[in-house]
Amino acid sequence: MDPLDRAQARRRLATALAEARAGLAEGGIPIGAALYGADGTLLGRGRNRRVQDDDPSTHAETAAFRAAGRQRSYRGTTMVTTLSPCWYCSGLIRQFGISRVVIGEATTFHGGHDWLAEHGVEIVLLDDAECVALMRDFIERHPALWREDIGA
């Protein structure tokens, strides 16, 4: 797998951020994701749609994964997400062998990315200020919905 520099990671994060903003505009939870192929091709993108679709399983990472369609292999792919992936999404990443995860932020929620790293997944944590601000504002305005989303 080719190394991913910070500039490339930030460009890919822009896709996930656009999805997060779209989700917020729809009245949903502002988390976005994108799945990139080993060659850098955008395979799929998505956003948390649990509110919009009344489906608790539609997290941003699962939406991007589904949008990518069936792949022969996920080796060398990169999941980009605005927020540290929860255990559900971390399980998906591990089960299908996604090689790298680019995370916008883990300040407002520290999901399963340490576990992923322990199991050989490359983690790129960007600590992006816009991702942090987006989630902090959402959590402050909608604490009950946020607790529901993370199963608290």
Side-chain angles (χ1 to χ4, degrees), residues 52-148:
Q52 300 93 310
D53 296 347
D54 196 29
D55 180 353
S57 71
T58 310
H59 288 199
E61 296 88 345
T62 61
F65 182 76
R66 288 175 182 152
R70 192 170 147 212
Q71 304 293 313
R72 187 172 183 274
S73 170
Y74 295 89
R75 173 180 237 133
T77 61
T78 300
M79 179 67 75
V80 181
T81 180
T82 57
L83 185 64
S84 178
C86 70
W87 287 108
Y88 169 62
C89 296
S90 293
L92 178 143
I93 291 162
R94 178 125 156 68
Q95 178 172 340
F96 288 96
I98 294 170
S99 300
R100 178 189 296 133
V101 180
V102 173
I103 301 167
E105 67 104 347
T107 302
T108 61
F109 179 76
H110 192 102
H113 69 268
D114 291 334
W115 176 77
L116 288 170
E118 290 169 8
H119 288 89
V121 177
E122 179 187 347
I123 300 298
V124 178
L125 181 55
L126 296 176
D127 291 321
D128 182 81
E130 184 176 354
C131 289
V132 173
L134 192 63
M135 283 310 301
R136 277 195 176 140
D137 183 59
F138 178 80
I139 292 166
E140 183 179 305
R141 292 174 188 246
H142 307 283
L145 182 55
W146 174 240
R147 285 190 303 275
E148 175 189 326

Side-chain angles (χ1 to χ4, degrees), residues 25-69:
E26 295 168 349
I29 299 162
I31 304 169
L35 183 63
Y36 284 87
D39 64 356
T41 302
L42 177 62
L43 300 174
R45 58 192 293 163
R47 56 188 166 272
N48 185 307
R49 295 193 50 86
R50 66 186 321 263
V51 172
Q52 300 93 310
D53 296 347
D54 196 29
D55 180 353
S57 71
T58 310
H59 288 199
E61 296 88 345
T62 61
F65 182 76
R66 288 175 182 152

